[in-house]
Amino acid sequence: MNESFTVKFSYKGKSVAVEDISRGTSASVLLAEARASFNVDDDVILRLIFKGKTIAQDIMDDDDGAVDNDGNNNNHPAFRTGTKIPKGGAKVIVMGSATARGIRHLNSLRSDPLMRGFEDERQSDKNDKATSSSRQLTTFWGPLHGSQDARYKFCRFQECTDASFGSRPGASTPHAFEARRLLERLATDPGIVSVLRSRELVVGTLGEIDPIDDRLVQRKQQEGVCVLGYNTNRGMRIDVKLRTDDLGGFRTYGELASTLVHELSHNWVGEHDVLFWTNYGQMRIEYLWTHARLMRGGVFVNGKRTAALAGVVDMIVSPEGGGNAARNSNDTPTDSQTMDIICQSVIVELAREMAQHHLPVQLVAPAVLAFSKELMIETKDDATLHIGGRRLGTTEVQPSTQNSGNAGTSARELALAAAEKRAREGKDRSS
């Protein structure tokens, strides 16, 4: 059936009725009727919509970009079989888009080099991630001692980038850039690097605790606990509270490094039990011993000892709360004497922290002291930390070698096994 009906075109607020339109009328004819009804220029691309569906649309010529007005691609009926036509006629909306001339002009324009498409953005993100993971970190500890181990390291860093942290005019808190540098300083600390390498630890992200809106910290504060850091999923992520409570600056570096070692110990043990404090004490021994050996090796960074930069000279040179250690004839402490000072400092530190958990330091002191002796034997012939250290009175720089970090694995395993045994015996006695 090809009964004729009326089509009412509507375009830019105007309406025109066209008679004698049938179901057999092609899309090209209907487009020509609409163009003629409103005197639309030939290079304007028209689209006809009936009942929310497009029934006809101009096609661009692939060769010159002009509108194909010959109907070569619109020979199909505009009103297909089954389409119901109202008794009052079909109301068709006419829409005109950019002219063919305008499209040809846009296509001929050169793309703006400052604007990137979605594919370019994805590639840029991939390049940024690759560069971020491989780029050289801040060499706070000098070019020879200021890098992470190739395998055992912190993979990513995430500072708190809230807009109020140092970026607003007149802000007194350090900028997020400074927080990032501090995180990198912690990650490349020779003592931290030594701990990670010897225990073969890999941490996904080292981040900054939000000092204003951190839910875990807020919950712990309500319980009366001051949280300086936390470990998520045993090393998937470690967060440290870098800023002071008044946001006026950063906490002392020694406190931050101690907190980080504490959180690294949670990679092994989750609860604050005897085994945890044994492991933490041993890690603190190794951290301080690394800086002590750099000090004894004559290593300076910008004219200062690494121990001074780490804020641990007092824990290496003299015991906290104690007198002067015995010295040899040259007034220089031997390795054994230096280790004794470090052990006394760590035990005092452990006693203070373990008291908060109602545990006596005597439970872990034997294992910590035994580990210190193992560590001294293990590092006796290891000159790695003297690399680049300029000996006082000489100008010779020691040659560089690579520390494999595997020499003391068995000794540490024995120390950890002994700590576990003591922890089990302590639990058996208490029960």
Side-chain angles (χ1 to χ4, degrees):
M1 266 180 88
N2 270 342
E3 296 180 358
S4 62
F5 52 87
T6 301
V7 171
K8 296 179 181 179
F9 291 116
S10 176
Y11 179 65
K12 292 184 176 181
K14 298 180 181 180
S15 297
V16 175
V18 178
E19 305 288 343
D20 299 328
I21 301 296
S22 67
R23 291 184 179 275
T25 302
S26 66
S28 59
V29 172
L30 200 63
L31 283 167
E33 290 285 356
R35 191 178 298 277
S37 299
F38 299 102
N39 295 321
V40 180
D41 293 338
D42 290 342
D43 62 347
V44 175
I45 300 174
L46 293 183
R47 182 159 62 119
L48 307 183
I49 300 176
F50 175 61
K51 291 186 176 181
K53 296 182 179 180
T54 299
I55 59 175
Q57 183 173 0
D58 282 325
I59 306 298
M60 292 285 294
D61 193 302
D62 293 335
D63 295 331
D64 59 3
V67 176
D68 180 10
N69 292 322
D70 297 332
N72 295 331
N73 295 300
N74 280 308
N75 293 326
H76 60 84
F79 300 94
R80 299 185 184 274
T81 303
T83 303
K84 294 183 179 180
I85 306 297
K87 293 182 179 180
K91 295 182 180 180
V92 176
I93 298 175
V94 181
M95 299 186 66
S97 58
T99 63
R101 188 185 304 109
I103 292 177
R104 288 196 300 273
H105 174 67
L106 290 175
N107 290 337
S108 66
L109 290 178
R110 220 175 143 187
S111 61
D112 188 345
L114 300 180
M115 297 183 65
R116 296 185 297 199
F118 293 115
E119 191 62 34
D120 293 331
E121 284 289 344
R122 282 191 287 270
Q123 186 61 41
S124 177
D125 289 342
K126 291 181 181 179
N127 294 338
D128 289 344
K129 290 179 180 178
T131 303
S132 175
S133 61
S134 61
R135 74 179 183 86
Q136 182 71 26
L137 300 181
T138 304
T139 55
F140 180 88
W141 305 97
L144 296 177
H145 300 286
S147 60
Q148 297 196 89
D149 186 86
R151 296 175 59 188
Y152 310 114
K153 59 184 180 179
F154 299 94
C155 300
R156 291 172 295 278
F157 303 94
Q158 186 175 1
E159 67 278 15
C160 191
T161 56
D162 190 284
S164 64
F165 292 159
S167 59
R168 293 181 178 178
S172 60
T173 190
H175 196 279
F177 297 153
E178 297 297 327
R180 171 74 178 219
R181 280 193 283 268
L182 183 52
L183 291 174
E184 294 182 358
R185 176 183 173 184
L186 286 166
T188 55
D189 185 323
I192 298 294
V193 172
S194 179
V195 168
L196 290 174
R197 182 188 293 124
S198 65
R199 285 160 173 76
E200 300 183 356
L201 298 178
V202 178
V203 177
T205 301
L206 177 60
E208 176 190 4
I209 289 180
D210 189 328
I212 296 178
D213 187 26
D214 189 285
R215 303 302 172 85
L216 177 61
V217 173
Q218 292 175 355
R219 187 170 68 250
K220 291 295 184 180
Q221 285 177 343
Q222 293 175 356
E223 299 173 2
V225 178
C226 179
V227 176
L228 299 179
Y230 52 80
N231 185 318
T232 304
N233 289 344
R234 297 202 172 187
M236 184 183 76
R237 180 185 179 97
I238 290 179
D239 291 270
V240 179
K241 188 174 183 180
L242 301 181
R243 303 173 194 267
T244 56
D245 293 336
D246 61 2
L247 303 182
F250 293 126
R251 297 178 181 275
T252 61
Y253 183 81
E255 181 182 15
L256 295 176
S258 176
T259 299
L260 181 54
V261 174
H262 180 109
E263 298 308 324
L264 286 171
S265 185
H266 280 302
N267 280 31
W268 292 74
V269 187
E271 299 297 327
H272 290 97
D273 55 12
V274 174
L275 182 58
F276 168 84
W277 291 111
T278 300
N279 187 51
Y280 169 67
Q282 293 173 349
M283 294 171 81
R284 281 293 282 169
I285 290 286
E286 184 169 4
Y287 176 85
L288 295 172
W289 180 242
T290 300
H291 284 289
R293 294 178 62 218
L294 286 171
M295 178 184 290
R296 293 176 62 80
V299 176
F300 290 85
V301 178
N302 295 326
K304 294 184 178 181
R305 306 281 195 182
T306 63
L309 296 175
V312 294
V313 174
D314 291 343
M315 300 186 72
I316 295 173
V317 174
S318 61
E320 183 178 340
N324 295 326
R327 304 298 178 92
N328 58 20
S329 58
N330 296 325
D331 199 34
T332 301
T334 63
D335 285 350
S336 178
Q337 291 168 344
T338 300
M339 182 59 84
D340 288 343
I341 296 172
I342 291 174
C343 288
Q344 293 178 46
S345 301
V346 171
I347 289 176
V348 170
E349 184 179 75
L350 285 172
R352 182 174 59 251
E353 296 186 17
M354 292 177 65
Q356 302 176 19
H357 298 271
H358 309 290
L359 292 173
V361 73
Q362 289 78 9
L363 293 176
V364 303
V368 171
L369 295 175
F371 173 81
S372 69
K373 295 178 181 179
E374 295 280 354
L375 185 61
M376 284 185 60
I377 296 173
E378 176 187 330
T379 57
K380 181 178 180 181
D381 299 323
D382 183 8
T384 303
L385 293 185
H386 298 302
I387 298 171
R390 195 175 300 278
R391 300 283 184 172
L392 297 179
T394 70
T395 59
E396 180 182 359
V397 177
Q398 302 298 322
S400 177
T401 59
Q402 180 66 33
N403 182 15
S404 64
N406 296 324
T409 302
S410 59
R412 286 185 173 78
E413 289 176 348
L414 291 174
L416 187 58
E420 291 176 346
K421 181 179 179 181
R422 293 188 186 91
R424 288 194 299 269
E425 292 175 351
K427 289 182 178 178
D428 294 339
R429 286 195 299 269
S430 62
S431 59

